[in-house]
């Protein structure tokens, strides 16, 4: 009963949102490094000139590059058993297209993994989390098949170098974001469907090849896909609203369909036919997709949508806040994201029923403004409440519905830069970091109330959730 004995508790981050040191140790520029902050609810600006007066939050992050030992030690104090993190491709290949890797970048991640392993924390590593080398722009980034080869070279280097340290790999963070924010998903600026679908096609191919390569190098390697877990409910029992909801979900799920089943679903192929979208399929590609299906599914879950006739078919606005109708049954976060713990059980069942693959929750959490009291405490009861409700639903999915879940990695265990807005004040962490939206502050780490709470949850393997 309850959480399985070998269930892994932990947290998750992304290199460009926490490391900083954007030009240190031989690192090249990535697509994330040319994105400004946005403080007004509008999308972040992509610029070509980082010398201007604008603020580029990835340049400082929360200085995890310098503080990684302290940060991982704090994870260990909470009892973490896994840490989902990403490697910045540009630390290894500064422009993306080199053949020889940058040793300094490799050494940095050696140190990070060694620190994790010293504390018995299993690294779960994302190969590409919203940052593509800027040097690949000259090829058209993921719209060009050459990038698949560059990516494979990167994978080959990582799988061999970290063979003894890393077993769980995730290919592309929230690959379905290609439908809405192609710059973040793959360094693609143009929003037309042909371009986005060409880029996604190359990522599918790269992911399938990465799965095969990882298995060839070591049988123990497990490679997963990563899905931005948007779910939608129909606005009413009107069959048209229900139909619209199915269509909305298909727009999201087609990515996991390809990566888990190994082929494009008919509904998508028909849509391509209607819209004149052509996939750049070459000989053997379809076999590669078929043979490179993933070992597990990882996903993020933050919110749910309500859709009906006339609402958009993909998520829009800051992670979907403008996607559909407001759900009158749900409260929202300070950033307008609906808070829907039941949705977590729903999506776990949906994904397992559809693919029968093990699942990892690699992102879930509440972005909120935190206040440091005079005595240095941070009373984030709202975060505890959010996480507790979601974890209780997760337990039901495991216990009552029999969904095999390997891990829960809460998003942003120490405060990091927000991906959608570039803000710092949107905080998720158990650990507060003293830095403001402009990068000013001491960068000192402070434990929030939720730190001690999560510690008890992990220590009791979830039993503590039922105590209060
Ligand atoms: C996910 C991303 O979409 O949501 C993360 O994978 C991101 O990179 C997270 O940080 C939370 O979104 P935000 O915009 O609040 O940082």
């Amino acid at each position: 009963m309850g959480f399985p004995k070998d269930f892994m508790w932990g947290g998750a981050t992304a290199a460009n949102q926490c490391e900083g040191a954007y030009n240190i140790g031989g690192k090249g520029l990535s697509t994330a490094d040319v994105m400004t902050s946005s403080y007004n609810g509008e999308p972040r600006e992509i610029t070509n000139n980082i010398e201007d007066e604008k603020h580029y939050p990835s340049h400082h992050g929360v200085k995890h590059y310098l503080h990684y030992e302290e940060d991982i030690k704090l994870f260990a104090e909470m009892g973490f058993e896994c840490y989902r993190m990403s490697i910045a491709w540009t630390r290894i290949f500064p422009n993306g297209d080199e053949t020889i890797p940058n040793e300094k970048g490799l050494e940095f991640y050696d140190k990070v993994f060694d620190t994790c392993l010293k504390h018995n924390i299993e690294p779960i590593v994302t190969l590409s989390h919203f940052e593509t080398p800027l040097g690949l722009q000259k090829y058209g980034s993921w719209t060009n098949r050459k990038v698949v080869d560059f990516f494979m070279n990167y994978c080959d280097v990582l799988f061999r170098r970290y063979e003894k340290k890393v077993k769980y790999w995730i290919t592309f963070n929230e690959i379905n974001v290609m439908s809405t924010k192609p710059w973040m998903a793959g360094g693609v600026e143009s929003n037309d469907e042909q371009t986005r679908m060409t880029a996604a096609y190359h990522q599918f191919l790269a992911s399938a090849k990465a799965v095969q390569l990882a298995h060839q190098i070591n049988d123990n390697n497990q490679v997963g896909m990563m899905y931005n877990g948007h779910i939608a409910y129909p606005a009413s029992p009107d069959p048209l609203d229900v139909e619209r909801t199915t269509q909305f979900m298909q727009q999201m799920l087609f990515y996991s369909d390809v990566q888990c089943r190994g082929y494009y679903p008919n509904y998508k192929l028909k849509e391509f036919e209607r819209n004149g979208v052509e996939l750049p399929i070459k000989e053997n590609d379809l076999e590669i997709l078929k043979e490179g299906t993933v070992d597990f599914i990882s996903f993020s879950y933050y919110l749910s949508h309500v859709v009906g006739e006339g609402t958009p078919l993909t998520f829009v606005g800051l992670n979907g806040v403008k996607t559909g109708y407001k759900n009158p049954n749900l409260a929202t976060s300070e950033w307008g994201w609906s808070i829907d713990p039941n949705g977590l059980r729903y999506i776990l069942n949906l994904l397992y029923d559809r693919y029968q693959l093990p699942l990892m929750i690699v992102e879930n959490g509440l972005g909120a403004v935190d206040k440091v009291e005079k005595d240095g405490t941070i009373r984030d009861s709202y975060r505890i409440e959010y996480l507790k409700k979601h974890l209780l639903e997760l337990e039901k999915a495991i216990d009552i519905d029999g969904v095999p879940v390997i891990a829960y990695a809460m998003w942003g265990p120490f405060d990091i830069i927000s991906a959608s807005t570039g803000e710092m004040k949107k905080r998720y962490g158990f650990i507060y970091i003293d830095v403001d939206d402009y990068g000013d502050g001491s960068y000192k780490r402070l434990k929030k109330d939720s730190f001690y709470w999560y510690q008890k949850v992990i220590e009791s393997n979830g039993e503590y959730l039922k105590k209060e």
Side-chain angles (χ1 to χ4, degrees):
M1 294 296 274
F3 288 88
K5 275 207 177 69
D6 53 358
F7 186 78
M8 293 191 286
W9 298 91
T13 64
N16 73 85
Q17 292 173 253
C18 67
E19 285 178 4
Y22 79 108
N23 59 359
I24 304 291
K27 183 183 172 301
L29 285 181
S30 80
T31 48
D33 296 326
V34 296
M35 291 180 76
T36 65
S37 295
S38 152
Y39 309 113
N40 52 12
E42 290 306 313
R44 299 170 65 182
E45 199 188 329
I46 301 157
T47 78
N48 288 319
N49 173 23
I50 55 163
E51 302 304 325
D52 60 22
E53 293 296 292
K54 294 180 177 140
H55 181 230
Y56 296 89
S58 72
H59 295 195
H60 52 79
V62 291
K63 298 198 177 168
H64 178 65
Y65 188 78
L66 295 177
H67 290 259
Y68 71 91
E69 276 184 292
E70 179 186 354
D71 293 338
I72 296 169
K73 200 163 165 241
L74 285 164
F75 293 166
E77 202 181 319
M78 273 186 278
F80 274 30
E81 290 148 341
C82 65
Y83 174 35
R84 179 211 170 202
M85 47 163 285
S86 72
I87 291 184
W89 187 348
T90 50
R91 284 203 190 283
I92 314 301
F93 291 102
N95 291 306
D97 60 355
E98 298 90 341
T99 45
I100 310 288
N102 170 32
E103 181 57 28
K104 273 211 157 127
L106 289 168
E107 277 168 14
F108 171 67
Y109 293 107
D110 264 321
K111 288 190 281 184
V112 172
F113 297 144
D114 290 343
T115 312
C116 286
L117 296 173
K118 185 173 95 188
H119 292 293
N120 295 319
I121 296 173
E122 179 83 47
I124 300 169
V125 180
T126 316
L127 295 159
S128 176
H129 190 130
F130 290 173
E131 51 184 317
T132 307
L134 209 59
L136 297 179
Q137 285 300 301
K138 62 174 178 285
Y139 300 95
S141 194
W142 280 99
T143 61
N144 189 329
R145 196 179 173 103
K146 276 198 177 124
V147 173
V148 177
D149 295 335
F150 298 140
F151 183 77
M152 291 321 296
N153 189 30
Y154 167 62
C155 289
D156 192 76
V157 166
L158 300 186
F159 293 160
R160 290 181 200 283
R161 172 80 172 218
Y162 305 124
E163 190 189 343
K164 303 250 152 41
K165 302 182 184 182
V166 179
K167 166 180 166 194
Y168 292 106
W169 298 93
I170 292 171
T171 49
F172 296 95
N173 180 62
E174 296 185 340
I175 190 163
N176 47 326
V177 164
M178 186 62 83
S179 285
T180 53
K181 294 179 188 163
W183 180 260
M184 279 179 130
V188 175
E189 244 181 305
S190 159
N191 221 359
D192 79 279
E193 203 189 345
Q194 178 66 58
T195 310
R196 283 188 281 106
M197 290 304 104
T198 302
Y201 178 78
H202 289 138
Q203 291 195 343
F204 289 145
L205 209 56
S207 166
K209 285 179 167 217
V211 172
Q212 287 172 295
L213 180 67
H215 291 169
Q216 262 165 37
I217 291 176
N218 194 321
D219 272 356
N220 282 332
N221 276 330
Q222 296 280 301
V223 187
M225 61 90 51
M226 179 358 180
Y227 171 67
N228 183 341
H230 284 264
I231 51 165
Y233 306 127
S236 79
D238 180 338
L240 289 178
D241 285 349
V242 177
E243 191 176 292
R244 189 85 181 159
T245 309
T246 305
Q247 289 164 352
F248 177 96
M249 288 306 293
Q250 286 178 336
Q251 291 303 323
M252 296 288 102
L253 287 165
F254 109 79
Y255 292 87
S256 41
D257 283 351
V258 178
Q259 289 182 292
C260 299
R261 293 173 173 160
Y263 55 90
Y264 278 73
N266 284 352
Y267 61 83
K268 201 66 190 173
L269 293 175
K270 282 285 183 192
E271 183 193 302
F272 288 160
E273 217 174 282
R274 283 194 302 277
N275 298 348
V277 172
E278 285 181 17
L279 298 178
I281 303 176
K282 292 219 171 137
E283 216 191 322
N284 295 335
D285 280 8
L286 298 183
E287 286 76 38
I288 294 171
L289 290 184
K290 188 99 204 148
E291 279 156 27
T293 53
V294 291
D295 301 310
F296 66 90
I297 299 169
S298 69
F299 69 98
S300 60
Y301 175 73
Y302 294 95
L303 69 156
S304 60
H305 307 289
V306 178
V307 302
E309 257 206 291
T311 59
L313 276 184
T314 48
F315 55 97
V316 284
L318 295 182
N319 238 350
V321 274
K322 293 182 193 153
T323 293
Y325 303 110
K326 190 173 160 30
N327 190 329
N329 305 297
L330 301 177
T332 51
S333 77
E334 287 162 280
W335 273 263
W337 297 13
S338 64
I339 299 176
D340 179 12
N342 298 73
L344 180 58
R345 182 173 174 189
Y346 175 88
I347 191 173
L348 280 161
N349 275 283
L350 182 146
L351 292 173
Y352 188 59
D353 284 350
R354 203 168 172 109
Y355 308 115
Q356 284 92 49
L357 284 173
L359 293 151
M360 276 192 197
I361 299 165
V362 292
E363 289 189 30
N364 171 239
L366 177 72
V369 176
D370 291 327
K371 182 171 166 247
V372 184
E373 305 293 341
K374 283 207 183 86
D375 61 0
T377 56
I378 297 118
R379 308 234 163 267
D380 58 341
S381 52
Y382 36 90
R383 182 166 296 107
I384 295 175
E385 169 96 358
Y386 177 101
L387 293 170
K388 181 178 168 181
K389 286 189 172 153
H390 283 76
L391 287 171
L392 285 168
E393 290 305 313
L394 165 60
E395 187 179 10
K396 285 185 204 156
I398 295 174
D399 224 13
I400 302 176
D401 309 326
V403 179
V405 186
I406 309 170
Y408 175 84
M410 166 274 195
W411 181 249
F414 50 82
D415 295 339
I416 54 181
I417 304 287
S418 156
S420 57
T421 68
E423 289 166 309
M424 192 60 224
K425 71 164 185 276
K426 188 179 189 190
R427 295 170 181 273
Y428 285 85
F430 298 124
I431 300 155
Y432 184 93
I433 301 191
D434 174 35
V435 51
D436 68 14
D437 277 346
Y438 304 93
D440 297 324
S442 66
Y443 289 82
K444 206 172 151 205
R445 275 68 174 149
L446 298 169
K447 297 170 192 170
K448 303 182 194 177
D449 280 1
S450 56
F451 180 101
Y452 303 101
W453 172 82
Y454 199 48
Q455 192 176 47
K456 290 195 190 104
V457 172
I458 299 179
E459 206 208 333
S460 63
N461 200 25
E463 281 307 302
Y464 186 69
L465 294 165
K466 289 169 228 151
K467 292 250 156 69
E468 292 161 54

